[in-house]
Amino acid sequence: MVPAAMNKILVVFLVMRISVCVGDEDIDFVYNGFLGSNLTINGVAKITQNGLLQLTNTTAQNQIGHAFFPTPLSLKDTGDGKRTPISFSTTFVIAIVPEDPDSIGNGMAFVISPSTVLLGSQPSQYLGLFNLSNNGNSSNNITAIEFDTISSPEFEDVDDDHVGIDVNSLRSVISVPTAYFGNDNGHFQNLSLKGGYPLQVWVEYSSRMMLLNVTVSTINTEKPSGPLLSTTIDLSTVTFDSLYVGFSASTGPYLTSHYVLGWSFKTNGQARPLDTSQLPRLPPSGKKSKYLKFVIPSAIAALLVVMIIVAAVFGFRRRKRFAEVLEGWERQIGAHRISYKDLYAATKGFKDSEVIGAGGFGKVYKGVLPVSKNLVAVKKITHESEEGMRQFLAEVTSIGRIRHRNFVELQGYCRRKGELLLVYEYMQNSSLDKFLYGQPRSTLNWAQRFRIIKQVGSGLFYLHECWTQTVLHRDIKASNVLLDRDFNGRLGDFGLSRLYDHGSDPLTTRLVGTIGYIAPELNRTGRATKSTDIYAFGVFLLEVVCGRRPIDLRAPAEQIILMDWVTERLSSGRILEVVDRKLGHNLQVEEKEEMGFVLRVGLLCLKPKAEERPSMEQVVQFLDNFSSLDSFRVTVSSCQNNGSENLFMSAPPLESVSVLVSGH
């Protein structure tokens, strides 16, 4: 029997840790630990003895756990027959704890759902929210904030440690690498979901502004003044009349525990702060010893014999495992051959945690070469078909001999059985598109962008005109421009390149490239030329100045096709409207002139007829001497064909670019 006094103490303790108020209008609750809570739980989720909400555990693979507050939130009645979502504020503390720190499992999510039962949801990369068939369906009516520790190329994840806002799909509306805003220095600081330690999250939604903010920080620190993610969203379009709030988590092949330590929520007001001193502690981490006791002395001799035999067999299999193929053509190329053994060690056995990118033929891994200790990027190409081998040969034979300061340098290669590997110098700042689209932590100023444009143009000019053979890149875009430590632009990914002798007719057998960058004649003939590369470069120029993808289906109708939007605004003298807003409003006159000039050069490269486009030599001259307006007009005039109307002749004169972009 528990004494009456002890019962009273226990009741007081639970009241201190849990406070729930559900009225006719608002919901307001605080869980400083979950002992005594009445959450709706399914899957493997449970409340531990010390009050942790544990969504998954490390007893088995491919688990799913859900936990929801049992009372639904109702949409407001506006009085005109319509329903509108209510504002809410919530804060919670989460932790993702892997059994093996080197093998991180999948992430978790805060969920707004019309039901507490997510039928058909799958584990692993689907986070217990959706499945292969319903991912992306508007009928899901689910909004989620994902905290993901795996990079899934099919969902276009930014990296393997990110936060994203999902609407009916795991292809996030917006997602960024995990970070928090430093109140002391005004910059975003790196943060990791993989550390196994608690992190605090704030999610706030304003129904009046339809604004959703997500903020992340370490526990026991002041809430950052700036959110990590912010986007406009009308929840009434993705939810039913009532909705439930809660959490979802799942695991895949790697065993991981997902925890929620505390949770505070309030509708139509600010959620009460959590008392972090009352939150339950995470269980101690660390692997258990594989051996529970020492072998007895009499077994040592026998064990040594077995070990010798195993070592001999292992050594034989290891030599066979790392056996490589060397063919005659490889002796004729200039690239350096690197052993498969070194590449295997550099990439930690080609672990998924080392993946930094993915393409049509395979993945790219970050690695550290064991001898030189150089950082490298290893592109592992699958060539089950002849196409894979064809790409490998194109890259090795072209890049292996080309050297230019504006190319990503091929440092070596390896071929082993069915695996083809290319080793590049590692680019510290990843690809240019990461800084153009949805990057909250930092961006590039105009001087940096203009320098990158000229560097990429110089590299493409070298491929077209200056090497012993003409090389067609065939896939010029921001994601194929990599940035080194000093944010210099390097042209990469020659996987679609084709070589042909100067003056020959390069007829190709299939259409390759990226939608939005493909010249119109390619759709008709499939014939790649230097002019098709120049067309893609023109799209790239607009992309860098405007900070926009060539095609954006989420933009207003008149802005969906970037080229059409820029053309219309340039013709009407409102060019400032297309310039990337992240460049700021205090631009210098010279910067505005340069932007206007680059946009005009880009549109000249995008002429519908290939013969009306300038050569890369002319484009490079324009970019290096943008003040040479007379030369520019002469070239534009010479590009005319059959008296066709030209934007550059009908639009306001180039000298007035500074007036156009300043809005006067």
Side-chain angles (χ1 to χ4, degrees), residues 454-516:
K454 291 192 285 188
Q455 289 167 337
V456 174
S458 175
L460 188 57
F461 170 57
Y462 183 85
L463 290 180
H464 282 191
E465 308 294 345
C466 300
W467 200 49
T468 55
Q469 291 177 296
T470 294
V471 179
L472 301 183
H473 188 281
R474 306 209 336 160
D475 201 18
I476 301 162
K477 55 184 177 180
S479 59
N480 281 341
V481 174
L482 302 182
L483 304 177
D484 62 18
R485 186 187 305 274
D486 299 318
F487 292 94
N488 291 307
R490 307 281 196 91
L491 191 57
D493 198 347
F494 287 69
L496 300 174
S497 63
R498 294 295 184 270
L499 281 72
Y500 67 95
D501 293 332
H502 289 299
S504 65
D505 188 16
L507 178 62
T508 60
T509 57
R510 72 183 182 95
L511 181 64
V512 292
T514 301
I515 294 176

Side-chain angles (χ1 to χ4, degrees), residues 284-302:
S285 60
K287 295 182 181 179
K288 297 180 179 179
S289 174
K290 295 181 181 180
Y291 304 99
L292 300 178
K293 58 183 178 179
F294 293 103
V295 293
I296 59 176
S298 59
I300 293 179

Side-chain angles (χ1 to χ4, degrees), residues 117-123 126-142 155 167-171:
V117 179
L118 304 182
L119 293 175
S121 61
Q122 292 182 341
Y126 290 96
L127 302 182
L129 297 174
F130 310 115
N131 57 50
L132 179 62
S133 61
N134 72 3
N135 184 54
N137 292 350
S138 60
S139 60
N140 293 327
N141 295 299
I142 289 177
F155 302 143
V167 178
N168 296 322
S169 169
L170 286 165
R171 183 174 282 106

Side-chain angles (χ1 to χ4, degrees), residues 54 56-63 95-106 149 193-197 250-259 283-290 351:
Q54 184 177 22
T56 67
N57 56 63
T58 58
T59 61
Q61 298 174 332
N62 299 315
Q63 296 181 342
I96 301 175
V97 184
E99 182 183 54
D100 182 352
D102 295 328
S103 301
I104 307 297
N106 297 90
T149 54
L193 299 168
K194 301 179 178 182
Y197 48 80
S250 70
T251 63
Y254 300 121
L255 304 180
T256 301
S257 295
H258 298 84
Y259 297 98
S285 60
K287 295 182 181 179
K288 297 180 179 179
S289 174
K290 295 181 181 180
K351 277 193 173 182

Side-chain angles (χ1 to χ4, degrees), residues 476 513-519 535-536 538-540 549-551 561 563 606:
I476 301 162
T514 301
I515 294 176
Y517 302 83
I518 299 175
Y535 185 95
V539 178
F540 170 74
R549 299 184 189 278
I551 300 175
I561 307 299
M563 178 180 66
L606 294 172

